[in-house]
Amino acid sequence: MHQLCHDFKSPRPDSSQRLPQIFMLVPVMFYVVLLGGAYLGVTSYLGYRNALASRDEWTQAQSEHETARMQFDTETAGVLKEKFKAEKMAQWIEGTRSLQPISVAIARCLPPEITISEMSLERSLELPQQVSLTVLLNNGTLEDVSRIQAAVGLLNYRPFNSQQAKAGEALEYKSMLVWQQF
């Protein structure tokens, strides 16, 4: 028995060869890769957080631009509404031109032997650019009616719904005069 124990204590040759020296780098490389993976994980996480913050900033900026655009659209709509009102007011003012030039033009276009026994000019309250004209001519003819229409046309009024009626020696002419804009 004694010999057996002594055998265990005696040096023995190795049964396998030693690993090459390059394999000593394996644990070092493991820790280097572990540190590199941790670095990439941290930088990726920080980049992800920055991207989320940037996305939130851009979303907020986009919503601010949308509200500003909607505000500009409402202001533009208000300006266009005011412009429309102003144009209608200008048309109304242009339509409320003085009626004296119409009566003077009618009186001047008729020859001296034709007398005007009655002339009526009535402006519509809803449409001031429309004037109802009624003229009663003594010794008048259809040629005189065409003279009246031509004289009124020179003042940028267009006769609509013209009617002539002969009552004895008098000729009654009725028409709706509408102001023409150019």
Side-chain angles (χ1 to χ4, degrees):
M1 228 170 144
H2 212 291
Q3 248 178 332
L4 285 173
C5 284
H6 183 65
D7 275 341
F8 284 122
K9 291 183 180 179
S10 65
R12 303 215 175 240
D14 289 334
S15 61
S16 63
Q17 291 182 353
R18 293 190 117 218
L19 293 174
Q21 289 290 352
I22 192 94
F23 283 137
M24 289 189 65
L25 292 177
V26 169
V28 173
M29 291 303 290
F30 172 75
Y31 289 114
V32 168
V33 167
L34 191 64
L35 287 175
Y39 173 77
L40 288 176
V42 168
T43 56
S44 296
Y45 177 72
L46 292 176
Y48 175 71
R49 286 188 56 190
N50 288 339
L52 287 179
S54 177
R55 183 194 65 186
D56 292 342
E57 288 175 9
W58 282 106
T59 304
Q60 183 180 3
Q62 182 182 9
S63 66
E64 289 173 0
H65 288 299
E66 287 295 321
T67 56
R69 186 181 59 82
M70 289 198 301
Q71 182 182 7
F72 288 137
D73 288 345
T74 55
E75 289 175 6
T76 303
V79 168
L80 291 176
K81 185 178 177 183
E82 289 297 319
K83 177 186 171 206
F84 180 74
K85 285 180 183 178
E87 287 174 349
K88 287 297 181 186
M89 178 63 87
Q91 289 175 356
W92 187 85
I93 290 171
E94 189 65 30
T96 58
R97 300 169 62 87
S98 175
L99 299 179
Q100 183 180 5
I102 297 173
S103 59
V104 170
I106 291 173
R108 286 186 179 168
C109 76
L110 296 174
E113 61 270 5
I114 304 297
T115 58
I116 299 173
S117 61
E118 185 180 327
M119 183 181 335
S120 170
L121 294 168
E122 295 177 16
R123 185 175 304 281
S124 171
L125 291 176
E126 293 82 26
L127 299 168
Q129 63 267 23
Q130 293 183 359
V131 177
S132 176
L133 170 68
T134 304
V135 179
L136 191 60
L137 302 172
N138 290 332
N139 301 324
T141 63
L142 292 179
E143 184 180 317
D144 298 323
V145 169
S146 65
R147 285 183 187 147
I148 291 173
Q149 289 177 343
V152 169
L154 291 175
L155 296 174
N156 294 332
Y157 282 98
R158 183 179 217 170
F160 280 105
N161 197 15
S162 299
Q163 300 172 357
Q164 301 92 15
K166 189 93 167 155
E169 294 290 320
L171 176 67
E172 184 180 21
Y173 171 66
K174 290 184 180 182
S175 181
M176 178 65 68
L177 302 178
V178 179
W179 172 255
Q180 296 182 50
Q181 292 181 332
F182 294 103

mmCIF file of all heavy atoms in Angstrom, residues 107-142:
data_model
loop_
_atom_site.group_PDB
_atom_site.id
_atom_site.type_symbol
_atom_site.label_atom_id
_atom_site.label_comp_id
_atom_site.label_asym_id
_atom_site.label_seq_id
_atom_site.Cartn_x
_atom_site.Cartn_y
_atom_site.Cartn_z
ATOM 1 N N ALA A 107 -83.840 114.388 -72.064
ATOM 2 C CA ALA A 107 -84.363 115.680 -72.529
ATOM 3 C C ALA A 107 -83.570 116.201 -73.723
ATOM 4 O O ALA A 107 -84.141 116.780 -74.664
ATOM 5 C CB ALA A 107 -84.331 116.695 -71.390
ATOM 6 N N ARG A 108 -82.252 115.981 -73.750
ATOM 7 C CA ARG A 108 -81.424 116.491 -74.840
ATOM 8 C C ARG A 108 -81.550 115.667 -76.121
ATOM 9 O O ARG A 108 -81.322 116.175 -77.203
ATOM 10 C CB ARG A 108 -79.963 116.526 -74.416
ATOM 11 C CG ARG A 108 -79.659 117.640 -73.467
ATOM 12 C CD ARG A 108 -78.192 117.727 -73.189
ATOM 13 N NE ARG A 108 -77.913 118.838 -72.286
ATOM 14 C CZ ARG A 108 -76.776 119.028 -71.683
ATOM 15 N NH1 ARG A 108 -75.775 118.189 -71.887
ATOM 16 N NH2 ARG A 108 -76.609 120.055 -70.881
ATOM 17 N N CYS A 109 -81.859 114.375 -75.979
ATOM 18 C CA CYS A 109 -81.899 113.533 -77.173
ATOM 19 C C CYS A 109 -83.187 113.720 -77.985
ATOM 20 O O CYS A 109 -83.235 113.339 -79.156
ATOM 21 C CB CYS A 109 -81.723 112.061 -76.795
ATOM 22 S SG CYS A 109 -83.178 111.299 -76.082
ATOM 23 N N LEU A 110 -84.210 114.303 -77.393
ATOM 24 C CA LEU A 110 -85.496 114.468 -78.108
ATOM 25 C C LEU A 110 -85.514 115.779 -78.891
ATOM 26 O O LEU A 110 -84.976 116.791 -78.432
ATOM 27 C CB LEU A 110 -86.651 114.438 -77.093
ATOM 28 C CG LEU A 110 -86.824 113.120 -76.338
ATOM 29 C CD1 LEU A 110 -87.899 113.254 -75.276
ATOM 30 C CD2 LEU A 110 -87.163 111.994 -77.302
ATOM 31 N N PRO A 111 -86.131 115.751 -80.064
ATOM 32 C CA PRO A 111 -86.232 117.003 -80.841
ATOM 33 C C PRO A 111 -87.167 118.003 -80.137
ATOM 34 O O PRO A 111 -87.976 117.620 -79.302
ATOM 35 C CB PRO A 111 -86.806 116.553 -82.193
ATOM 36 C CG PRO A 111 -87.262 115.161 -82.022
ATOM 37 C CD PRO A 111 -86.672 114.615 -80.779
ATOM 38 N N PRO A 112 -87.076 119.291 -80.490
ATOM 39 C CA PRO A 112 -87.853 120.327 -79.788
ATOM 40 C C PRO A 112 -89.374 120.184 -79.940
ATOM 41 O O PRO A 112 -90.123 120.636 -79.076
ATOM 42 C CB PRO A 112 -87.389 121.645 -80.408
ATOM 43 C CG PRO A 112 -86.187 121.331 -81.210
ATOM 44 C CD PRO A 112 -86.120 119.859 -81.418
ATOM 45 N N GLU A 113 -89.843 119.559 -80.997
ATOM 46 C CA GLU A 113 -91.301 119.443 -81.171
ATOM 47 C C GLU A 113 -91.920 118.365 -80.281
ATOM 48 O O GLU A 113 -93.134 118.318 -80.124
ATOM 49 C CB GLU A 113 -91.670 119.178 -82.645
ATOM 50 C CG GLU A 113 -91.114 117.913 -83.235
ATOM 51 C CD GLU A 113 -89.755 118.081 -83.896
ATOM 52 O OE1 GLU A 113 -89.152 119.158 -83.842
ATOM 53 O OE2 GLU A 113 -89.300 117.090 -84.462
ATOM 54 N N ILE A 114 -91.078 117.490 -79.662
ATOM 55 C CA ILE A 114 -91.566 116.456 -78.755
ATOM 56 C C ILE A 114 -91.468 117.008 -77.335
ATOM 57 O O ILE A 114 -90.421 117.523 -76.921
ATOM 58 C CB ILE A 114 -90.709 115.171 -78.851
ATOM 59 C CG1 ILE A 114 -90.638 114.635 -80.267
ATOM 60 C CG2 ILE A 114 -91.217 114.103 -77.900
ATOM 61 C CD1 ILE A 114 -91.960 114.198 -80.834
ATOM 62 N N THR A 115 -92.566 116.925 -76.615
ATOM 63 C CA THR A 115 -92.567 117.395 -75.228
ATOM 64 C C THR A 115 -92.733 116.205 -74.288
ATOM 65 O O THR A 115 -93.431 115.237 -74.606
ATOM 66 C CB THR A 115 -93.713 118.404 -74.971
ATOM 67 O OG1 THR A 115 -94.948 117.781 -75.280
ATOM 68 C CG2 THR A 115 -93.519 119.650 -75.808
ATOM 69 N N ILE A 116 -92.075 116.321 -73.159
ATOM 70 C CA ILE A 116 -92.189 115.294 -72.136
ATOM 71 C C ILE A 116 -93.237 115.782 -71.150
ATOM 72 O O ILE A 116 -93.056 116.802 -70.473
ATOM 73 C CB ILE A 116 -90.839 115.071 -71.415
ATOM 74 C CG1 ILE A 116 -89.770 114.614 -72.405
ATOM 75 C CG2 ILE A 116 -90.987 114.063 -70.290
ATOM 76 C CD1 ILE A 116 -88.377 114.534 -71.826
ATOM 77 N N SER A 117 -94.353 115.074 -71.084
ATOM 78 C CA SER A 117 -95.389 115.503 -70.153
ATOM 79 C C SER A 117 -95.176 114.898 -68.765
ATOM 80 O O SER A 117 -95.589 115.488 -67.773
ATOM 81 C CB SER A 117 -96.787 115.143 -70.680
ATOM 82 O OG SER A 117 -96.890 113.743 -70.831
ATOM 83 N N GLU A 118 -94.506 113.756 -68.714
ATOM 84 C CA GLU A 118 -94.254 113.129 -67.407
ATOM 85 C C GLU A 118 -93.015 112.243 -67.514
ATOM 86 O O GLU A 118 -92.841 111.530 -68.501
ATOM 87 C CB GLU A 118 -95.464 112.274 -67.003
ATOM 88 C CG GLU A 118 -95.362 111.691 -65.631
ATOM 89 C CD GLU A 118 -96.600 110.857 -65.283
ATOM 90 O OE1 GLU A 118 -97.712 111.176 -65.731
ATOM 91 O OE2 GLU A 118 -96.401 109.865 -64.578
ATOM 92 N N MET A 119 -92.149 112.308 -66.496
ATOM 93 C CA MET A 119 -90.986 111.423 -66.437
ATOM 94 C C MET A 119 -90.824 110.975 -64.987
ATOM 95 O O MET A 119 -90.860 111.788 -64.075
ATOM 96 C CB MET A 119 -89.694 112.101 -66.894
ATOM 97 C CG MET A 119 -88.550 111.124 -66.883
ATOM 98 S SD MET A 119 -86.901 111.697 -67.352
ATOM 99 C CE MET A 119 -87.058 113.059 -68.372
ATOM 100 N N SER A 120 -90.643 109.664 -64.822
ATOM 101 C CA SER A 120 -90.498 109.108 -63.484
ATOM 102 C C SER A 120 -89.279 108.185 -63.457
ATOM 103 O O SER A 120 -89.144 107.297 -64.294
ATOM 104 C CB SER A 120 -91.765 108.323 -63.121
ATOM 105 O OG SER A 120 -91.554 107.590 -61.940
ATOM 106 N N LEU A 121 -88.427 108.420 -62.503
ATOM 107 C CA LEU A 121 -87.253 107.563 -62.276
ATOM 108 C C LEU A 121 -87.337 107.054 -60.835
ATOM 109 O O LEU A 121 -87.308 107.843 -59.898
ATOM 110 C CB LEU A 121 -85.951 108.349 -62.471
ATOM 111 C CG LEU A 121 -85.669 108.846 -63.887
ATOM 112 C CD1 LEU A 121 -84.528 109.840 -63.875
ATOM 113 C CD2 LEU A 121 -85.321 107.684 -64.771
ATOM 114 N N GLU A 122 -87.443 105.736 -60.677
ATOM 115 C CA GLU A 122 -87.544 105.145 -59.340
ATOM 116 C C GLU A 122 -86.427 104.122 -59.159
ATOM 117 O O GLU A 122 -86.285 103.215 -59.975
ATOM 118 C CB GLU A 122 -88.905 104.459 -59.161
ATOM 119 C CG GLU A 122 -90.070 105.407 -59.204
ATOM 120 C CD GLU A 122 -91.398 104.696 -59.100
ATOM 121 O OE1 GLU A 122 -91.414 103.509 -58.697
ATOM 122 O OE2 GLU A 122 -92.418 105.316 -59.436
ATOM 123 N N ARG A 123 -85.691 104.289 -58.068
ATOM 124 C CA ARG A 123 -84.578 103.383 -57.777
ATOM 125 C C ARG A 123 -85.064 102.272 -56.868
ATOM 126 O O ARG A 123 -85.808 102.494 -55.935
ATOM 127 C CB ARG A 123 -83.453 104.143 -57.093
ATOM 128 C CG ARG A 123 -82.220 103.304 -56.862
ATOM 129 C CD ARG A 123 -81.087 104.101 -56.290
ATOM 130 N NE ARG A 123 -80.703 105.253 -57.070
ATOM 131 C CZ ARG A 123 -79.946 105.221 -58.163
ATOM 132 N NH1 ARG A 123 -79.500 104.082 -58.610
ATOM 133 N NH2 ARG A 123 -79.633 106.316 -58.803
ATOM 134 N N SER A 124 -84.616 101.055 -57.137
ATOM 135 C CA SER A 124 -84.931 99.901 -56.296
ATOM 136 C C SER A 124 -84.072 99.964 -55.033
ATOM 137 O O SER A 124 -82.878 100.207 -55.099
ATOM 138 C CB SER A 124 -84.650 98.604 -57.058
ATOM 139 O OG SER A 124 -84.753 97.490 -56.211
ATOM 140 N N LEU A 125 -84.683 99.744 -53.872
ATOM 141 C CA LEU A 125 -83.923 99.786 -52.618
ATOM 142 C C LEU A 125 -82.992 98.591 -52.485
ATOM 143 O O LEU A 125 -81.881 98.713 -51.980
ATOM 144 C CB LEU A 125 -84.881 99.819 -51.429
ATOM 145 C CG LEU A 125 -85.688 101.104 -51.275
ATOM 146 C CD1 LEU A 125 -86.661 100.977 -50.115
ATOM 147 C CD2 LEU A 125 -84.777 102.290 -51.074
ATOM 148 N N GLU A 126 -83.440 97.414 -52.922
ATOM 149 C CA GLU A 126 -82.613 96.209 -52.809
ATOM 150 C C GLU A 126 -81.479 96.211 -53.842
ATOM 151 O O GLU A 126 -80.381 95.777 -53.560
ATOM 152 C CB GLU A 126 -83.453 94.938 -53.004
ATOM 153 C CG GLU A 126 -84.452 94.684 -51.903
ATOM 154 C CD GLU A 126 -85.730 95.474 -52.084
ATOM 155 O OE1 GLU A 126 -86.066 95.831 -53.236
ATOM 156 O OE2 GLU A 126 -86.386 95.775 -51.085
ATOM 157 N N LEU A 127 -81.786 96.676 -55.041
ATOM 158 C CA LEU A 127 -80.789 96.715 -56.122
ATOM 159 C C LEU A 127 -80.675 98.145 -56.629
ATOM 160 O O LEU A 127 -81.371 98.538 -57.571
ATOM 161 C CB LEU A 127 -81.199 95.768 -57.256
ATOM 162 C CG LEU A 127 -81.308 94.298 -56.862
ATOM 163 C CD1 LEU A 127 -81.987 93.504 -57.953
ATOM 164 C CD2 LEU A 127 -79.948 93.733 -56.554
ATOM 165 N N PRO A 128 -79.831 98.961 -56.036
ATOM 166 C CA PRO A 128 -79.771 100.372 -56.420
ATOM 167 C C PRO A 128 -79.235 100.602 -57.825
ATOM 168 O O PRO A 128 -79.376 101.687 -58.358
ATOM 169 C CB PRO A 128 -78.839 100.989 -55.372
ATOM 170 C CG PRO A 128 -78.062 99.855 -54.832
ATOM 171 C CD PRO A 128 -78.914 98.645 -54.959
ATOM 172 N N GLN A 129 -78.619 99.579 -58.437
ATOM 173 C CA GLN A 129 -78.142 99.768 -59.807
ATOM 174 C C GLN A 129 -79.269 99.619 -60.830
ATOM 175 O O GLN A 129 -79.050 99.798 -62.010
ATOM 176 C CB GLN A 129 -76.984 98.817 -60.125
ATOM 177 C CG GLN A 129 -77.310 97.370 -60.087
ATOM 178 C CD GLN A 129 -77.016 96.750 -58.729
ATOM 179 O OE1 GLN A 129 -76.971 97.422 -57.721
ATOM 180 N NE2 GLN A 129 -76.837 95.460 -58.708
ATOM 181 N N GLN A 130 -80.482 99.326 -60.358
ATOM 182 C CA GLN A 130 -81.641 99.240 -61.251
ATOM 183 C C GLN A 130 -82.550 100.448 -61.030
ATOM 184 O O GLN A 130 -82.887 100.781 -59.902
ATOM 185 C CB GLN A 130 -82.436 97.962 -60.986
ATOM 186 C CG GLN A 130 -81.701 96.708 -61.351
ATOM 187 C CD GLN A 130 -82.551 95.473 -61.142
ATOM 188 O OE1 GLN A 130 -83.687 95.549 -60.704
ATOM 189 N NE2 GLN A 130 -81.987 94.330 -61.464
ATOM 190 N N VAL A 131 -82.946 101.063 -62.145
ATOM 191 C CA VAL A 131 -83.803 102.242 -62.099
ATOM 192 C C VAL A 131 -84.998 101.980 -63.014
ATOM 193 O O VAL A 131 -84.834 101.578 -64.175
ATOM 194 C CB VAL A 131 -83.048 103.505 -62.576
ATOM 195 C CG1 VAL A 131 -83.962 104.717 -62.607
ATOM 196 C CG2 VAL A 131 -81.837 103.756 -61.709
ATOM 197 N N SER A 132 -86.181 102.193 -62.478
ATOM 198 C CA SER A 132 -87.394 102.044 -63.283
ATOM 199 C C SER A 132 -87.687 103.394 -63.940
ATOM 200 O O SER A 132 -87.816 104.413 -63.261
ATOM 201 C CB SER A 132 -88.552 101.618 -62.378
ATOM 202 O OG SER A 132 -89.730 101.552 -63.123
ATOM 203 N N LEU A 133 -87.780 103.396 -65.254
ATOM 204 C CA LEU A 133 -87.981 104.629 -66.032
ATOM 205 C C LEU A 133 -89.359 104.592 -66.670
ATOM 206 O O LEU A 133 -89.734 103.594 -67.312
ATOM 207 C CB LEU A 133 -86.906 104.745 -67.122
ATOM 208 C CG LEU A 133 -87.110 105.841 -68.172
ATOM 209 C CD1 LEU A 133 -86.955 107.219 -67.547
ATOM 210 C CD2 LEU A 133 -86.129 105.659 -69.313
ATOM 211 N N THR A 134 -90.112 105.670 -66.499
ATOM 212 C CA THR A 134 -91.401 105.847 -67.172
ATOM 213 C C THR A 134 -91.394 107.250 -67.782
ATOM 214 O O THR A 134 -91.191 108.238 -67.071
ATOM 215 C CB THR A 134 -92.579 105.706 -66.188
ATOM 216 O OG1 THR A 134 -92.482 104.440 -65.546
ATOM 217 C CG2 THR A 134 -93.909 105.811 -66.900
ATOM 218 N N VAL A 135 -91.629 107.327 -69.107
ATOM 219 C CA VAL A 135 -91.641 108.613 -69.815
ATOM 220 C C VAL A 135 -92.931 108.680 -70.621
ATOM 221 O O VAL A 135 -93.287 107.731 -71.341
ATOM 222 C CB VAL A 135 -90.422 108.756 -70.757
ATOM 223 C CG1 VAL A 135 -90.469 110.089 -71.482
ATOM 224 C CG2 VAL A 135 -89.132 108.616 -69.993
ATOM 225 N N LEU A 136 -93.639 109.800 -70.506
ATOM 226 C CA LEU A 136 -94.855 110.033 -71.298
ATOM 227 C C LEU A 136 -94.542 111.164 -72.277
ATOM 228 O O LEU A 136 -94.280 112.294 -71.869
ATOM 229 C CB LEU A 136 -96.018 110.417 -70.372
ATOM 230 C CG LEU A 136 -97.391 110.437 -70.989
ATOM 231 C CD1 LEU A 136 -97.760 109.062 -71.532
ATOM 232 C CD2 LEU A 136 -98.427 110.885 -69.982
ATOM 233 N N LEU A 137 -94.483 110.813 -73.586
ATOM 234 C CA LEU A 137 -94.105 111.763 -74.637
ATOM 235 C C LEU A 137 -95.346 112.210 -75.406
ATOM 236 O O LEU A 137 -96.149 111.382 -75.842
ATOM 237 C CB LEU A 137 -93.123 111.114 -75.611
ATOM 238 C CG LEU A 137 -91.820 110.564 -75.041
ATOM 239 C CD1 LEU A 137 -91.072 109.791 -76.113
ATOM 240 C CD2 LEU A 137 -90.967 111.680 -74.518
ATOM 241 N N ASN A 138 -95.473 113.530 -75.597
ATOM 242 C CA ASN A 138 -96.537 114.054 -76.462
ATOM 243 C C ASN A 138 -95.994 114.109 -77.884
ATOM 244 O O ASN A 138 -94.897 114.600 -78.121
ATOM 245 C CB ASN A 138 -96.970 115.452 -76.011
ATOM 246 C CG ASN A 138 -97.718 115.405 -74.696
ATOM 247 O OD1 ASN A 138 -98.353 114.406 -74.368
ATOM 248 N ND2 ASN A 138 -97.603 116.480 -73.931
ATOM 249 N N ASN A 139 -96.738 113.591 -78.846
ATOM 250 C CA ASN A 139 -96.350 113.528 -80.257
ATOM 251 C C ASN A 139 -95.102 112.655 -80.445
ATOM 252 O O ASN A 139 -94.314 112.901 -81.352
ATOM 253 C CB ASN A 139 -96.115 114.926 -80.853
ATOM 254 C CG ASN A 139 -97.343 115.811 -80.775
ATOM 255 O OD1 ASN A 139 -98.459 115.311 -80.915
ATOM 256 N ND2 ASN A 139 -97.137 117.086 -80.547
ATOM 257 N N GLY A 140 -94.908 111.654 -79.625
ATOM 258 C CA GLY A 140 -93.723 110.803 -79.707
ATOM 259 C C GLY A 140 -93.926 109.637 -80.671
ATOM 260 O O GLY A 140 -95.036 109.204 -80.937
ATOM 261 N N THR A 141 -92.814 109.131 -81.198
ATOM 262 C CA THR A 141 -92.827 107.989 -82.111
ATOM 263 C C THR A 141 -91.844 106.931 -81.593
ATOM 264 O O THR A 141 -91.118 107.163 -80.625
ATOM 265 C CB THR A 141 -92.405 108.417 -83.531
ATOM 266 O OG1 THR A 141 -91.070 108.895 -83.470
ATOM 267 C CG2 THR A 141 -93.338 109.478 -84.090
ATOM 268 N N LEU A 142 -91.806 105.797 -82.290
ATOM 269 C CA LEU A 142 -90.872 104.737 -81.918
ATOM 270 C C LEU A 142 -89.422 105.159 -82.156
ATOM 271 O O LEU A 142 -88.503 104.684 -81.484
ATOM 272 C CB LEU A 142 -91.189 103.459 -82.679
ATOM 273 C CG LEU A 142 -92.507 102.778 -82.303
ATOM 274 C CD1 LEU A 142 -92.717 101.540 -83.146
ATOM 275 C CD2 LEU A 142 -92.528 102.414 -80.836
#
